[in-house]
Amino acid sequence: MRILVLLLLLSLPAQGGPWPRAQGQAYVFIGHEDGMDGWTSLYAEYGGPRNLTFGLDLGGHGMRALKTLPDPVDGRLRAFVRAPLLSGTQIREGRPRWLTPWLLAVEVGVGLDLADTGDTTPTWSLGTSVGRGFQTRWGDGWTTVDLRLTEGGLKGRRINGQAVMGIKPTDRLTLEMGLFAEQEQTLSLTLAPTLQYEIGDYGGLRLGLSVTRDGDRIGRIGWARDF
């Protein structure tokens, strides 16, 4: 249980979009939001054969628990595999023009919800992701829309959706704007601008702000790198 708690303390509930990872390449994100008792996350993707992308999404509350183990920490764990249905290599002559720029992928996953009592509840999820790239006078950009249904867990069914638009004004700077929604017993909405700055070969520092529908403002910090 201590190992599971430590893993849950390292965890992005966000999806990576419909673009498959190249075989043998990996992406890792580690982040934290909302102070010492906020949400800490680890999100990782790895490119497998046949354009499959394997991923791990871990998250938990309470960085103080690192000093007070084995106190229970509530969190979530999800392992998934994503497969493209439409990609650039699958474009064929005669495909509708409006569809040509878009990519589409589906995702299946299994996981656990961890209660603050230490009890675990299994989950399974099904998701889809669509996205496209575009060019502007300020740099290359992209947009993605993701939707995921999760069954089981501590609160039963939940639905997560997100829409993200990003742009790279320079090789080192990336700007993103995201809208995130989650439906459990109630609907939560969050607007989240993010800035990522690449620091040499060490990866990118991510700084952001989350604004909820109730007006709460939550600071975010993270690190992301491709391997």
Side-chain angles (χ1 to χ4, degrees), residues 60-87:
H61 280 293
M63 292 180 68
R64 290 195 182 102
L66 285 172
K67 301 179 181 180
T68 60
L69 285 175
D71 289 352
V73 178
D74 57 317
R76 292 173 179 172
L77 178 155
R78 182 173 64 95
F80 63 87
V81 58
R82 184 183 307 123
L85 294 183
L86 294 174
S87 68

mmCIF file of all heavy atoms in Angstrom, residues 60-87:
data_model
loop_
_atom_site.group_PDB
_atom_site.id
_atom_site.type_symbol
_atom_site.label_atom_id
_atom_site.label_comp_id
_atom_site.label_asym_id
_atom_site.label_seq_id
_atom_site.Cartn_x
_atom_site.Cartn_y
_atom_site.Cartn_z
ATOM 1 N N GLY A 60 -3.058 12.301 -6.899
ATOM 2 C CA GLY A 60 -3.439 12.191 -5.499
ATOM 3 C C GLY A 60 -3.394 13.526 -4.793
ATOM 4 O O GLY A 60 -2.734 14.460 -5.228
ATOM 5 N N HIS A 61 -4.095 13.620 -3.671
ATOM 6 C CA HIS A 61 -4.135 14.831 -2.846
ATOM 7 C C HIS A 61 -3.120 14.735 -1.718
ATOM 8 O O HIS A 61 -2.907 13.676 -1.139
ATOM 9 C CB HIS A 61 -5.518 15.011 -2.219
ATOM 10 C CG HIS A 61 -6.522 15.590 -3.149
ATOM 11 N ND1 HIS A 61 -6.437 16.876 -3.628
ATOM 12 C CD2 HIS A 61 -7.646 15.059 -3.698
ATOM 13 C CE1 HIS A 61 -7.464 17.122 -4.428
ATOM 14 N NE2 HIS A 61 -8.209 16.031 -4.486
ATOM 15 N N GLY A 62 -2.512 15.860 -1.375
ATOM 16 C CA GLY A 62 -1.776 15.967 -0.129
ATOM 17 C C GLY A 62 -0.314 15.651 -0.203
ATOM 18 O O GLY A 62 0.088 14.516 0.043
ATOM 19 N N MET A 63 0.540 16.630 -0.549
ATOM 20 C CA MET A 63 1.972 16.400 -0.554
ATOM 21 C C MET A 63 2.503 16.151 0.854
ATOM 22 O O MET A 63 3.547 15.528 1.030
ATOM 23 C CB MET A 63 2.700 17.605 -1.170
ATOM 24 C CG MET A 63 2.430 17.780 -2.651
ATOM 25 S SD MET A 63 3.301 19.206 -3.348
ATOM 26 C CE MET A 63 5.002 18.645 -3.233
ATOM 27 N N ARG A 64 1.790 16.597 1.887
ATOM 28 C CA ARG A 64 2.252 16.374 3.248
ATOM 29 C C ARG A 64 2.302 14.886 3.581
ATOM 30 O O ARG A 64 3.027 14.470 4.472
ATOM 31 C CB ARG A 64 1.326 17.085 4.252
ATOM 32 C CG ARG A 64 1.433 18.599 4.224
ATOM 33 C CD ARG A 64 0.779 19.200 5.465
ATOM 34 N NE ARG A 64 0.835 20.646 5.441
ATOM 35 C CZ ARG A 64 -0.185 21.410 5.113
ATOM 36 N NH1 ARG A 64 -1.333 20.861 4.788
ATOM 37 N NH2 ARG A 64 -0.075 22.722 5.117
ATOM 38 N N ALA A 65 1.516 14.088 2.847
ATOM 39 C CA ALA A 65 1.495 12.658 3.137
ATOM 40 C C ALA A 65 2.848 12.016 2.874
ATOM 41 O O ALA A 65 3.153 10.954 3.403
ATOM 42 C CB ALA A 65 0.420 11.967 2.303
ATOM 43 N N LEU A 66 3.711 12.646 2.056
ATOM 44 C CA LEU A 66 5.047 12.103 1.845
ATOM 45 C C LEU A 66 5.828 12.044 3.155
ATOM 46 O O LEU A 66 6.714 11.218 3.326
ATOM 47 C CB LEU A 66 5.805 12.974 0.840
ATOM 48 C CG LEU A 66 5.392 12.832 -0.628
ATOM 49 C CD1 LEU A 66 6.095 13.892 -1.461
ATOM 50 C CD2 LEU A 66 5.724 11.450 -1.149
ATOM 51 N N LYS A 67 5.495 12.924 4.096
ATOM 52 C CA LYS A 67 6.199 12.957 5.377
ATOM 53 C C LYS A 67 5.438 12.215 6.468
ATOM 54 O O LYS A 67 5.956 12.037 7.556
ATOM 55 C CB LYS A 67 6.412 14.413 5.801
ATOM 56 C CG LYS A 67 7.223 15.231 4.799
ATOM 57 C CD LYS A 67 7.377 16.671 5.277
ATOM 58 C CE LYS A 67 8.164 17.504 4.282
ATOM 59 N NZ LYS A 67 8.314 18.915 4.729
ATOM 60 N N THR A 68 4.220 11.794 6.182
ATOM 61 C CA THR A 68 3.397 11.200 7.238
ATOM 62 C C THR A 68 2.911 9.804 6.883
ATOM 63 O O THR A 68 1.992 9.307 7.501
ATOM 64 C CB THR A 68 2.177 12.090 7.531
ATOM 65 O OG1 THR A 68 1.390 12.232 6.338
ATOM 66 C CG2 THR A 68 2.621 13.461 8.001
ATOM 67 N N LEU A 69 3.487 9.172 5.852
ATOM 68 C CA LEU A 69 3.073 7.808 5.534
ATOM 69 C C LEU A 69 3.139 6.947 6.783
ATOM 70 O O LEU A 69 4.021 7.124 7.620
ATOM 71 C CB LEU A 69 3.993 7.230 4.450
ATOM 72 C CG LEU A 69 3.770 7.751 3.035
ATOM 73 C CD1 LEU A 69 4.821 7.190 2.101
ATOM 74 C CD2 LEU A 69 2.387 7.410 2.536
ATOM 75 N N PRO A 70 2.240 5.953 6.985
ATOM 76 C CA PRO A 70 1.270 5.453 6.007
ATOM 77 C C PRO A 70 -0.116 6.077 6.083
ATOM 78 O O PRO A 70 -1.104 5.390 5.811
ATOM 79 C CB PRO A 70 1.194 3.966 6.371
ATOM 80 C CG PRO A 70 1.360 3.964 7.874
ATOM 81 C CD PRO A 70 2.303 5.109 8.182
ATOM 82 N N ASP A 71 -0.248 7.344 6.430
ATOM 83 C CA ASP A 71 -1.561 7.979 6.393
ATOM 84 C C ASP A 71 -2.154 7.853 4.993
ATOM 85 O O ASP A 71 -1.462 8.048 4.000
ATOM 86 C CB ASP A 71 -1.448 9.459 6.763
ATOM 87 C CG ASP A 71 -1.128 9.642 8.233
ATOM 88 O OD1 ASP A 71 -1.151 8.633 8.960
ATOM 89 O OD2 ASP A 71 -0.838 10.780 8.638
ATOM 90 N N PRO A 72 -3.440 7.520 4.907
ATOM 91 C CA PRO A 72 -4.054 7.311 3.592
ATOM 92 C C PRO A 72 -4.170 8.605 2.792
ATOM 93 O O PRO A 72 -4.342 9.685 3.345
ATOM 94 C CB PRO A 72 -5.441 6.752 3.929
ATOM 95 C CG PRO A 72 -5.720 7.258 5.297
ATOM 96 C CD PRO A 72 -4.393 7.304 6.001
ATOM 97 N N VAL A 73 -4.045 8.500 1.501
ATOM 98 C CA VAL A 73 -4.163 9.628 0.586
ATOM 99 C C VAL A 73 -5.182 9.260 -0.489
ATOM 100 O O VAL A 73 -5.112 8.183 -1.080
ATOM 101 C CB VAL A 73 -2.807 9.947 -0.081
ATOM 102 C CG1 VAL A 73 -2.955 11.093 -1.078
ATOM 103 C CG2 VAL A 73 -1.758 10.280 0.976
ATOM 104 N N ASP A 74 -6.160 10.124 -0.743
ATOM 105 C CA ASP A 74 -7.134 9.816 -1.785
ATOM 106 C C ASP A 74 -6.547 10.187 -3.142
ATOM 107 O O ASP A 74 -5.868 11.196 -3.296
ATOM 108 C CB ASP A 74 -8.450 10.567 -1.549
ATOM 109 C CG ASP A 74 -8.272 12.072 -1.460
ATOM 110 O OD1 ASP A 74 -7.309 12.517 -0.791
ATOM 111 O OD2 ASP A 74 -9.085 12.786 -2.053
ATOM 112 N N GLY A 75 -6.817 9.345 -4.148
ATOM 113 C CA GLY A 75 -6.261 9.574 -5.475
ATOM 114 C C GLY A 75 -6.850 8.631 -6.501
ATOM 115 O O GLY A 75 -7.778 7.873 -6.217
ATOM 116 N N ARG A 76 -6.287 8.712 -7.713
ATOM 117 C CA ARG A 76 -6.763 7.899 -8.826
ATOM 118 C C ARG A 76 -5.583 7.369 -9.617
ATOM 119 O O ARG A 76 -4.533 8.012 -9.700
ATOM 120 C CB ARG A 76 -7.684 8.718 -9.748
ATOM 121 C CG ARG A 76 -9.004 9.092 -9.114
ATOM 122 C CD ARG A 76 -9.801 10.033 -9.998
ATOM 123 N NE ARG A 76 -11.091 10.361 -9.381
ATOM 124 C CZ ARG A 76 -11.919 11.283 -9.852
ATOM 125 N NH1 ARG A 76 -11.614 11.973 -10.933
ATOM 126 N NH2 ARG A 76 -13.063 11.518 -9.234
ATOM 127 N N LEU A 77 -5.765 6.209 -10.206
ATOM 128 C CA LEU A 77 -4.781 5.581 -11.067
ATOM 129 C C LEU A 77 -5.495 5.069 -12.306
ATOM 130 O O LEU A 77 -6.562 4.477 -12.203
ATOM 131 C CB LEU A 77 -4.086 4.443 -10.315
ATOM 132 C CG LEU A 77 -3.036 3.602 -11.044
ATOM 133 C CD1 LEU A 77 -2.065 3.007 -10.030
ATOM 134 C CD2 LEU A 77 -3.666 2.471 -11.859
ATOM 135 N N ARG A 78 -4.887 5.289 -13.487
ATOM 136 C CA ARG A 78 -5.497 4.817 -14.735
ATOM 137 C C ARG A 78 -4.400 4.428 -15.711
ATOM 138 O O ARG A 78 -3.463 5.179 -15.954
ATOM 139 C CB ARG A 78 -6.374 5.922 -15.346
ATOM 140 C CG ARG A 78 -7.090 5.530 -16.629
ATOM 141 C CD ARG A 78 -8.065 6.622 -17.053
ATOM 142 N NE ARG A 78 -7.381 7.859 -17.374
ATOM 143 C CZ ARG A 78 -7.022 8.216 -18.615
ATOM 144 N NH1 ARG A 78 -7.297 7.410 -19.646
ATOM 145 N NH2 ARG A 78 -6.395 9.363 -18.839
ATOM 146 N N ALA A 79 -4.507 3.211 -16.264
ATOM 147 C CA ALA A 79 -3.641 2.763 -17.352
ATOM 148 C C ALA A 79 -4.504 2.652 -18.606
ATOM 149 O O ALA A 79 -5.651 2.213 -18.531
ATOM 150 C CB ALA A 79 -3.001 1.422 -17.020
ATOM 151 N N PHE A 80 -3.968 3.051 -19.759
ATOM 152 C CA PHE A 80 -4.797 3.088 -20.965
ATOM 153 C C PHE A 80 -3.974 2.782 -22.205
ATOM 154 O O PHE A 80 -2.735 2.827 -22.187
ATOM 155 C CB PHE A 80 -5.470 4.454 -21.106
ATOM 156 C CG PHE A 80 -4.517 5.606 -21.283
ATOM 157 C CD1 PHE A 80 -4.054 5.977 -22.544
ATOM 158 C CD2 PHE A 80 -4.082 6.341 -20.177
ATOM 159 C CE1 PHE A 80 -3.172 7.029 -22.697
ATOM 160 C CE2 PHE A 80 -3.200 7.406 -20.328
ATOM 161 C CZ PHE A 80 -2.741 7.749 -21.588
ATOM 162 N N VAL A 81 -4.668 2.470 -23.274
ATOM 163 C CA VAL A 81 -4.060 2.323 -24.590
ATOM 164 C C VAL A 81 -4.911 3.104 -25.584
ATOM 165 O O VAL A 81 -6.139 3.061 -25.523
ATOM 166 C CB VAL A 81 -3.936 0.840 -25.001
ATOM 167 C CG1 VAL A 81 -5.300 0.152 -25.014
ATOM 168 C CG2 VAL A 81 -3.252 0.717 -26.353
ATOM 169 N N ARG A 82 -4.250 3.857 -26.471
ATOM 170 C CA ARG A 82 -4.944 4.696 -27.438
ATOM 171 C C ARG A 82 -4.562 4.257 -28.851
ATOM 172 O O ARG A 82 -3.393 3.978 -29.122
ATOM 173 C CB ARG A 82 -4.579 6.170 -27.230
ATOM 174 C CG ARG A 82 -5.340 7.127 -28.132
ATOM 175 C CD ARG A 82 -4.880 8.571 -27.941
ATOM 176 N NE ARG A 82 -4.930 8.970 -26.546
ATOM 177 C CZ ARG A 82 -3.899 9.423 -25.871
ATOM 178 N NH1 ARG A 82 -2.731 9.555 -26.446
ATOM 179 N NH2 ARG A 82 -4.031 9.761 -24.601
ATOM 180 N N ALA A 83 -5.549 4.181 -29.732
ATOM 181 C CA ALA A 83 -5.323 3.752 -31.109
ATOM 182 C C ALA A 83 -5.938 4.758 -32.068
ATOM 183 O O ALA A 83 -7.083 5.173 -31.882
ATOM 184 C CB ALA A 83 -5.929 2.370 -31.355
ATOM 185 N N PRO A 84 -5.199 5.181 -33.107
ATOM 186 C CA PRO A 84 -5.759 6.122 -34.079
ATOM 187 C C PRO A 84 -6.743 5.429 -35.016
ATOM 188 O O PRO A 84 -6.504 4.305 -35.460
ATOM 189 C CB PRO A 84 -4.522 6.621 -34.836
ATOM 190 C CG PRO A 84 -3.547 5.493 -34.739
ATOM 191 C CD PRO A 84 -3.799 4.841 -33.410
ATOM 192 N N LEU A 85 -7.846 6.095 -35.306
ATOM 193 C CA LEU A 85 -8.781 5.612 -36.321
ATOM 194 C C LEU A 85 -8.554 6.315 -37.651
ATOM 195 O O LEU A 85 -8.700 5.723 -38.709
ATOM 196 C CB LEU A 85 -10.218 5.839 -35.862
ATOM 197 C CG LEU A 85 -10.679 5.041 -34.645
ATOM 198 C CD1 LEU A 85 -12.148 5.316 -34.371
ATOM 199 C CD2 LEU A 85 -10.452 3.547 -34.858
ATOM 200 N N LEU A 86 -8.209 7.598 -37.576
ATOM 201 C CA LEU A 86 -7.875 8.370 -38.770
ATOM 202 C C LEU A 86 -6.580 9.103 -38.477
ATOM 203 O O LEU A 86 -6.443 9.743 -37.448
ATOM 204 C CB LEU A 86 -8.972 9.396 -39.098
ATOM 205 C CG LEU A 86 -10.339 8.844 -39.502
ATOM 206 C CD1 LEU A 86 -11.325 9.992 -39.648
ATOM 207 C CD2 LEU A 86 -10.249 8.079 -40.813
ATOM 208 N N SER A 87 -5.615 9.006 -39.362
ATOM 209 C CA SER A 87 -4.347 9.700 -39.198
ATOM 210 C C SER A 87 -3.854 10.170 -40.549
ATOM 211 O O SER A 87 -4.418 9.845 -41.589
ATOM 212 C CB SER A 87 -3.296 8.773 -38.558
ATOM 213 O OG SER A 87 -2.937 7.742 -39.450
#
